[in-house]
Amino acid sequence: MDANQAPQIEKAARLLREARSIVVLTGAGVSAESGISTFRDKETGLWAKYDPMELAHIDAFHRDPELVTHWYHWRFTRCKDCEPNAGHYALAQLQEQTEARGGSFSLLTQNVDGLHQRAGSTNVSEIHGTILTWRCTKTGEHYDLAEIDFSSFPPASRTGGILRPNVVWFGEMLPEQELERAFRDSSSCDVFMSVGTSSVVQPAASLIELAKGAGASTIEVNLEPTPISGIVDVSVFGKAGEALPAIIDLCKEGLS
Ligand code: APR
């Protein structure tokens, strides 16, 4: 972490330490240090190599279910050996600290990799779904990955339907329950922290404005400015795996 970020880190820690209710929204940047590609990085991002409209859109699945399911299985094989990083663990600690002092904590993630849960975060809202379970397009029945025969694509369900990943594709609505929770928690929190997201995909990108409009203090942790950087109270520029532990360690010190 650049030493010049110290004042911002201290300000973020003070806001989080004094908050009664915290919402954290994460994006692909929080998993980047675990080795999982982000989407919009110009060189290494998935969308630099693949066309999201050809692979991550409901119409693409209807047009070519074999290609789309094959690609999601490939994405899963790339992330299944990845481990949570220090940023994931720091957010799990922040939840523990906040709830231990009677505060409320809500983690909303756009990521589908399950790393927050593996780091110990609980009650995580996966607003863009998960790659770790699939469902039958005919019956809606959910399948764990271990139950699925990936020797052919699209994989078949027990009832002869085809299986799709439980991710939210472009052209699809977010799960209603997750959306309601995201709006409810964001409009009633004291502090909203956005971590590792380009803040360009709706409705996730507008949650911070909803929080700010309801009186919350706002924090952004990112490598670089995003469309929300101009409205936040605190901007911490750095890697999530370094910035979050620095912020949460200061939170702990203040509690001692
Ligand atoms: N630490 C902090 N931020 C990082 C790091 C890091 N180590 N590495 C990258 N970032 C930042 C980038 O600067 C960028 O702002 O993370 C952000 C990643 O942005 P995207 O690749 O657009 O990912 P995300 O914001 O999660 O995308 C939102 O778009 O493609 C859809 O459904 C997909 O959920 C995804 C949604």
Side-chain angles (χ1 to χ4, degrees):
M1 279 305 298
D2 287 351
N4 65 15
Q5 292 301 307
Q8 297 301 313
I9 286 175
E10 283 158 22
K11 200 174 166 192
R14 189 168 55 251
L15 288 172
L16 290 166
R17 189 168 55 231
E18 292 163 3
R20 287 189 320 282
S21 60
I22 297 171
V23 168
V24 177
L25 171 69
T26 64
V30 83
S31 293
E33 291 153 85
S34 295
I36 296 179
S37 304
T38 61
F39 293 96
R40 292 172 179 82
D41 181 282
K42 291 170 191 55
E43 278 79 47
T44 61
L46 282 173
W47 299 153
K49 300 189 191 83
Y50 304 100
D51 177 354
M53 295 307 127
E54 290 303 312
L55 288 166
H57 197 292
I58 182 64
D59 294 345
F61 174 69
H62 290 146
R63 193 170 49 244
D64 192 344
E66 179 183 355
L67 171 70
V68 171
T69 54
H70 210 147
W71 189 68
Y72 274 89
H73 181 256
W74 169 79
R75 277 188 61 194
F76 162 70
T77 52
R78 279 165 56 85
C79 73
K80 71 178 171 54
D81 298 327
C82 294
E83 294 297 324
N85 64 61
H88 294 106
Y89 288 110
L91 290 177
Q93 278 179 32
L94 179 62
Q95 176 177 12
E96 194 180 337
Q97 279 172 27
T98 306
E99 292 175 349
R101 57 181 171 79
S104 69
F105 184 90
S106 182
L107 177 55
L108 315 172
T109 187
Q110 299 171 92
N111 301 338
V112 296
D113 56 35
L115 291 183
H116 283 303
Q117 294 90 325
R118 286 174 53 198
S121 291
T122 56
N123 193 24
V124 177
S125 177
E126 295 176 309
I127 59 175
H128 289 174
T130 177
I131 207 166
L132 302 180
T133 61
W134 291 45
R135 67 176 184 269
C136 174
T137 50
K138 217 161 79 172
T139 64
E141 185 186 1
H142 282 211
Y143 288 67
D144 288 333
L145 285 160
E147 300 178 79
I148 301 171
D149 171 9
F150 284 112
S151 59
S152 65
F153 292 90
S157 73
R158 283 186 279 272
T159 57
I162 58 174
L163 293 172
R164 56 159 288 176
N166 270 323
V167 297
V168 179
W169 279 320
F170 289 109
E172 290 188 305
M173 295 293 289
L174 272 62
E176 199 168 325
Q177 195 179 346
E178 303 306 334
L179 198 55
E180 277 169 16
R181 170 180 160 183
F183 284 125
R184 182 186 66 242
D185 293 354
S186 301
S187 54
S188 58
C189 64
D190 298 327
V191 176
F192 187 105
M193 178 161 70
S194 172
V195 184
T197 178
S198 56
S199 298
V200 294
V201 173
Q202 296 299 349
S206 56
L207 293 174
I208 195 165
E209 287 157 309
L210 178 65
K212 188 173 181 72
S217 300
T218 51
I219 303 166
E220 180 181 33
V221 176
N222 202 303
L223 289 179
E224 58 191 16
T226 71
I228 62 164
S229 300
I231 68 160
V232 296
D233 299 304
V234 184
S235 273
V236 178
F237 290 114
K239 291 182 175 180
E242 295 170 6
L244 290 174
I247 293 169
I248 281 80
D249 285 349
L250 275 186
C251 279
K252 270 192 287 196
E253 279 171 30
L255 291 175
S256 54

